[in-house]
Amino acid sequence: SPSAALDRLRFDVRYALRGLRRSPAFALTVIGTLALGIAANAAMFNVVDQLLFRPLAFLRAPEMVHRFYWQNQSRGETRNASSVPYARYLDLAKWTTSFSQMAAFSERPLAVGDGDDARELRVGTVSASFWSFFDAPPALGRYFTPDEDTTPVGASVVVLSYPYWQSAFGGRDVRGVLLTVGNVRATIIGVAPEGFNGVNDANPPSLFIPITTFAGTSGTGDARTYFSAYYWGWVNVLARRRDGVSLAQANTDATQAYRRSWEAARAMDASTPPVDDARPQIVVSSVRPGAGPTPALEARTALWVTVVAAIVLLIACANVANLVLARALQRQRETAVRLALGVTRGRLIVQALTESLVLSALGGVVAVLVAQWAGGAIRAILIANGTSTPPLATDGRTLVVTMAITLVVGVAVGLVPVLLLERGDLARTLRGGSRGVTAHGTGLRSSLLVVQGALSMVLLVGAALFVRSLQQVQQMPMGYDANHVLLVSRVLRGEWPGDSAMTQMSRHLLAEAQALPGVESAAWVNSTPFVSTSSSNIYVAGIDSTSRLGTFTYQATTADYFRTMRTRILRGRALGVADREGAPRVGVVSASMAATLWPGQEALGQCFRVRADTMPCTTVVGIAEDMVQRDLTGGQRYHFYIPIEQATWTHGNGMLLRLSGDPFREGENVRAALQRVILGASYVTVQPLASIVEDERRSWRLGATMFVAFGGLALVVAAVGLYGVIGYNVAQRTRELGVRVALGARKEHILRLITGEGMRLTLLGVVLGGAVAAVAGRWIEPLLFRQAALDPAVYGGVAGTMLLVALAASAVPAWRAARADPNVALRSE
């Protein structure tokens, strides 16, 4: 009956708890080991769930909502994009039939507030249709309507996020309050509900404005043509499939509309490649970019780390299984007596599984606490902008997965003594006493130990490869010294002041910056490594088309640029103060650009033309070392430098300052000083260049950090497991070892015998793990930087480390056995 079954369950649980109280060391070791393995997987699931699987808060029928991912062919390669011109969004809304709803959205930092109080916040610029994708009634007021989201300029209205409403306005009624957002003096009309993050719960916007309001007031020439031209790509598209429309049909429909839109763009601009060459297509996929056709860096890294966490859990389970098996072998005579007294094998199996499940449950509880502590650190490492997901201890999805892992682990570990019970020989066990240990139990323990060693080898090889990769990227010459350099960006606000005013503003800010205490040098620039790059067509006599050679990026700057960046001039000279508008056009080119355009010749004095072959000649006056500008892995370093006053098509957008102090500490002082002198409503932002460069190294740092952490944990667990196995085997062979010593065996023979067993098992695990790592290397190699997955030095170093750890783990019980008194050993039974 159900009540009898419940009574038996209570009895079994109490019996298991009493048994664990009698063996506290065993219980604590098992619970701690399982807690570490389960906690690692719970924390990683929480991260991966956010990046890939968790439905967005308030999203209605999420299985029918998708983001558009755009692809086209260029130079034989597939180019991927998530953003397109607003005009293309209008084309798709007009020419597709598979979608019941479509919305445009974009997120960007905009100044919120006025004067010294202006601060950059993340602002969602969304179409009015965006709100209908969610079941999220506003906490206050209303959302903007289609009538307020019209071209060319939408209404000056803003909706606040719930956190910003609370922090900036204390939760009071703010309807009708005016707030400057970007270039708009907007009226607050509503507040989104608590927990609403739009489509970005990792770094949600603080405010939302109509997308046409932002575009129509952007203060550039794009503001007049954004809804009819196709050159400003900045919009993401969200769409809801109609009922009955398959994903394949939606892809076909969207791609056909995209090709039609491509033809419309080509009709306006003949330089647009023909549709048959570009082969544009749309992939209708997940709203979360991490689960889309081109997963983000964080998503790809998180998936690999999840595999690593699963391996750690397997190692932990193997270790615990070994401990449980040792306990079952020690209790073998007790079990045989109970069987002889009439207890059924089924009853003993249930009790063994109950004890295993109790241990696993306790490990799961501790795992939630550990994951609560460590999960935040893991999320901070893997997700650049942090996360707004609930803590692990209150996240229902993560708790369910943790419970499922705990149950599976409990059953899997509980099967080990079950196998022993099934194969036990009652009569032999009763006759043999503690020496009635089955060969099956010893063989299973050794096999589990080999598995632990193999899995540890795989993780440590991965850790070593990522560490070597990180060392490679950190040692790579960048062509500049980012330390002590501060990027100061000038952001325009309001109407375009005109070319003359822009030039005067740039000169004024540069002079003020150079006069600040602690500023060693400063340069006005139009681009910054990894932030923005400018490219241009160039024309060289004797070369039909330089574009086929690659992309040529440029820096328009002032005289102190090379001093500020500490970029070496290899030959010739740097740009100087005399290189002004009206003076002969000059330029400095990178070493790679010089070698490619003028092979076997001296590049100094050569002529190239920028932007058009009718432009005046730019004479090469210097050769600079190659600089890493756009990506760390790119092979081409074609870069040239020209005086900003001779580049009349650009005014630049900021400065690079070299400080004598720490830019991380001094940055806010610099910002405040320059904000006070900037003209009009414009404002400045600051960011250390070193932080920008480090962000580019992030993928290799992530891999190294997480692999080393989990690999180290796996090695410790495996070493403890080896120590336990060797120690148990020594205890079981006490009589045999005593006989050996009594017959004349010396201490070194006993040491060699015991340590040899551990070394053989570890060596077998190293060989097996090395083979698995070699096979898996082809999948991990694309994540490495100039590092081969099959690196003999890495495999040899890891194998040597594991063997040394195995020697240390085996030496302690071996030394104990060698020092044992043979008389005591012979009397032990």
Side-chain angles (χ1 to χ4, degrees):
S1 67
S3 60
L6 189 60
D7 289 339
R8 282 196 299 271
L9 178 61
R10 289 198 196 97
F11 175 82
D12 291 342
V13 170
R14 286 197 297 269
Y15 178 79
L17 291 173
R18 284 198 303 272
L20 295 176
R21 278 199 299 270
R22 289 194 299 269
S23 306
F26 166 80
L28 291 175
T29 302
V30 170
I31 291 170
T33 303
L34 289 180
L36 290 175
I38 295 172
N41 283 267
M44 287 311 307
F45 172 80
N46 187 262
V47 171
V48 172
D49 187 38
Q50 178 193 345
L51 291 173
L52 303 180
F53 307 121
R54 186 187 299 265
L56 295 170
F58 300 102
L59 187 63
R60 180 165 49 85
E63 71 281 357
M64 301 297 287
V65 179
H66 307 280
R67 187 192 292 246
F68 285 175
Y69 298 86
W70 318 76
Q71 297 180 346
N72 65 275
Q73 300 295 313
S74 177
R75 295 178 183 171
E77 296 181 354
T78 300
R79 298 179 58 183
N80 299 283
S82 59
S83 58
V84 292
Y86 185 83
R88 186 142 288 151
Y89 157 70
L90 295 178
D91 288 347
L92 264 71
K94 180 171 54 177
W95 291 333
T96 55
T97 59
S98 299
F99 306 96
S100 58
Q101 292 175 290
M102 199 171 289
F105 67 96
S106 178
E107 295 176 1
R108 57 193 57 243
L110 293 177
V112 178
D114 298 291
D116 288 345
D117 294 331
R119 292 291 184 273
E120 271 198 341
L121 298 176
R122 194 168 187 84
V123 177
T125 66
V126 302
S127 61
S129 55
F130 180 81
W131 305 108
S132 62
F133 280 79
F134 301 89
D135 288 322
L140 178 71
R142 63 179 180 86
Y143 299 128
F144 42 83
T145 65
D147 292 339
E148 295 169 312
D149 175 35
T150 57
T151 58
V153 184
S156 299
V157 293
V158 59
V159 174
L160 310 182
S161 71
Y162 192 91
Y164 181 71
W165 177 47
Q166 294 293 319
S167 62
F169 297 98
R172 62 184 174 87
D173 191 342
V174 290
R175 287 173 292 182
V177 173
L178 294 177
L179 180 66
T180 304
V181 182
N183 295 328
V184 179
R185 189 70 172 164
T187 301
I188 300 175
I189 61 171
V191 177
E194 185 175 10
F196 179 82
N197 299 317
V199 294
N200 186 353
D201 50 18
N203 189 19
S206 297
L207 312 94
F208 299 87
I209 61 174
I211 195 167
T212 54
T213 301
F214 162 75
T217 60
S218 61
T220 66
D222 296 328
R224 297 187 296 273
T225 59
Y226 75 92
F227 54 92
S228 58
Y230 293 90
Y231 52 79
W232 182 20
W234 58 286
V235 172
N236 294 268
V237 177
L238 204 64
R240 183 184 299 278
R241 270 186 297 136
R242 294 186 185 277
D243 292 339
V245 175
S246 69
L247 201 57
Q249 291 171 325
N251 272 291
T252 301
D253 182 34
T255 295
Q256 289 174 346
Y258 186 19
R259 292 171 68 90
R260 188 175 174 183
S261 179
W262 192 278
E263 293 284 14
R266 180 169 167 75
M268 297 179 63
D269 182 1
S271 66
T272 302
V275 69
D276 290 338
D277 293 343
R279 287 179 284 170
Q281 76 171 61
I282 289 177
V283 179
V284 179
S285 190
S286 171
V287 175
R288 293 191 177 277
T294 53
L297 163 66
E298 289 85 355
R300 288 186 285 119
T301 305
L303 284 174
W304 270 107
V305 176
T306 301
V307 174
V308 171
I311 293 175
V312 171
L313 181 60
L314 289 176
I315 294 172
C317 288
N319 196 0
V320 169
N322 247 328
L323 293 172
V324 170
L325 181 57
R327 179 176 168 83
L329 290 171
Q330 289 173 341
R331 299 166 66 183
Q332 202 171 29
R333 182 173 174 83
E334 172 195 336
T335 301
V337 170
R338 295 182 68 193
L339 286 171
L341 293 175
V343 179
T344 64
R345 288 183 183 270
R347 186 82 181 109
L348 292 177
I349 289 172
V350 169
Q351 288 185 341
L353 283 172
T354 301
E355 181 179 82
S356 177
L357 288 170
V358 167
L359 283 169
S360 182
L362 293 173
V365 171
V366 176
V368 171
L369 300 177
V370 173
Q372 180 75 6
W373 168 74
I378 293 176
R379 290 195 298 273
I381 292 171
L382 287 174
I383 304 177
N385 296 312
T387 177
S388 60
T389 54
L392 287 172
T394 58
D395 181 9
R397 290 167 64 90
T398 303
L399 288 177
V400 168
V401 170
T402 304
M403 291 171 60
I405 294 174
T406 301
L407 179 62
V408 171
V409 168
V411 172
V413 171
L415 289 177
V416 174
V418 168
L419 292 174
L420 195 64
L421 279 170
E422 288 296 326
R423 300 191 180 204
D425 185 333
L426 174 59
R428 182 184 173 190
T429 303
L430 287 173
R431 288 195 306 269
S434 64
R435 294 193 304 274
V437 178
T438 63
H440 168 70
T442 303
L444 182 57
R445 298 197 72 201
S446 298
S447 298
L448 290 170
L449 197 61
V450 170
V451 169
Q452 288 186 69
L455 293 175
S456 299
M457 177 73 181
V458 172
L459 291 193
L460 290 173
V461 166
L465 289 174
F466 269 103
V467 168
R468 290 283 293 267
S469 186
L470 181 60
Q471 290 173 342
Q472 295 273 22
V473 74
Q474 288 176 332
Q475 295 169 2
M476 184 184 73
M478 302 293 289
Y480 49 84
D481 178 11
N483 296 320
H484 295 282
V485 176
L486 185 70
L487 168 63
V488 179
S489 300
R490 176 205 58 199
V491 184
L492 289 177
R493 225 175 177 186
E495 294 296 325
W496 176 257
D499 291 342
S500 177
M502 287 293 296
T503 300
Q504 291 301 318
M505 182 190 297
S506 302
R507 290 175 178 172
H508 178 64
L509 278 177
L510 182 60
E512 292 290 338
Q514 290 170 328
L516 291 176
V519 175
E520 296 181 351
S521 62
W524 194 263
V525 295
N526 80 306
S527 65
T528 306
F530 307 119
V531 175
S532 62
T533 54
S534 302
S535 61
S536 173
N537 293 327
I538 63 170
Y539 301 85
V540 177
I543 300 178
D544 294 336
S545 173
T546 58
S547 61
R548 63 180 174 79
L549 300 175
T551 300
F552 292 83
T553 58
Y554 69 89
Q555 175 71 280
T557 185
T558 51
D560 269 350
Y561 178 78
F562 294 99
R563 178 185 166 202
T564 301
M565 295 293 283
R566 293 188 177 170
T567 298
R568 293 179 300 129
I569 299 296
L570 305 179
R571 298 193 305 279
R573 68 172 178 87
L575 302 178
V577 292
D579 300 321
R580 295 179 170 274
E581 186 177 4
R585 291 177 179 263
V586 296
V588 174
V589 301
S590 66
S592 291
M593 178 174 170
T596 299
L597 294 181
W598 301 285
Q601 305 176 53
E602 176 53 71
L604 293 176
Q606 297 284 357
C607 166
F608 67 99
R609 303 176 192 274
V610 182
R611 303 189 78 202
D613 57 4
T614 57
M615 292 291 287
C617 177
T618 296
T619 303
V620 178
V621 297
I623 312 297
E625 64 177 313
D626 288 346
M627 176 184 287
V628 180
Q629 271 283 330
R630 294 195 294 181
D631 63 87
L632 292 168
T633 57
Q636 296 179 342
R637 305 298 185 203
Y638 302 154
H639 200 62
F640 62 95
Y641 310 83
I642 52 179
I644 198 166
E645 292 196 11
Q646 294 183 356
T648 55
W649 61 89
T650 179
H651 294 279
N653 53 22
M655 294 175 288
L656 291 168
L657 312 182
R658 177 162 290 279
L659 307 181
S660 57
D662 184 356
F664 289 90
R665 290 198 306 264
E666 301 296 328
E668 178 56 26
N669 294 334
V670 172
R671 188 206 67 79
L674 295 178
Q675 182 64 49
R676 287 193 292 268
V677 300
I678 197 169
L679 303 178
S682 299
Y683 65 98
V684 296
T685 63
V686 297
Q687 186 177 8
L689 184 60
S691 69
I692 299 171
V693 173
E694 279 305 306
D695 281 345
E696 292 300 309
R697 296 169 174 160
R698 191 164 185 275
S699 64
W700 300 286
R701 190 171 67 252
L702 291 181
T705 301
M706 301 308 295
F707 265 87
V708 167
F710 286 137
L713 176 62
L715 183 61
V716 170
V717 171
V720 171
L722 177 63
Y723 174 83
V725 168
I726 299 300
Y728 175 79
N729 287 347
V730 167
Q732 294 301 310
R733 298 170 64 184
T734 299
R735 183 179 179 82
E736 173 202 335
L737 296 174
V739 170
R740 287 175 180 269
V741 173
L743 293 177
R746 293 173 12 190
K747 287 185 179 181
E748 54 266 30
H749 294 153
I750 301 298
L751 284 170
R752 191 159 51 247
L753 175 69
I754 302 302
T755 56
E757 179 184 356
M759 297 299 286
R760 282 193 298 273
L761 293 173
T762 303
L763 184 60
L764 184 56
V766 165
V767 172
L768 181 60
V772 173
V775 173
R778 59 179 178 176
W779 288 295
I780 202 174
E781 192 164 21
L783 299 177
L784 304 176
F785 183 83
R786 298 179 182 175
Q787 172 63 48
L790 296 176
D791 187 336
V794 167
Y795 282 74
V798 171
T801 300
M802 288 196 61
L803 290 173
L804 284 174
V805 170
L807 180 62
S810 305
V812 176
W815 181 252
R816 189 183 303 126
R819 297 182 63 188
D821 185 344
N823 293 318
V824 175
L826 292 171
R827 289 198 303 267
S828 63
E829 298 197 34

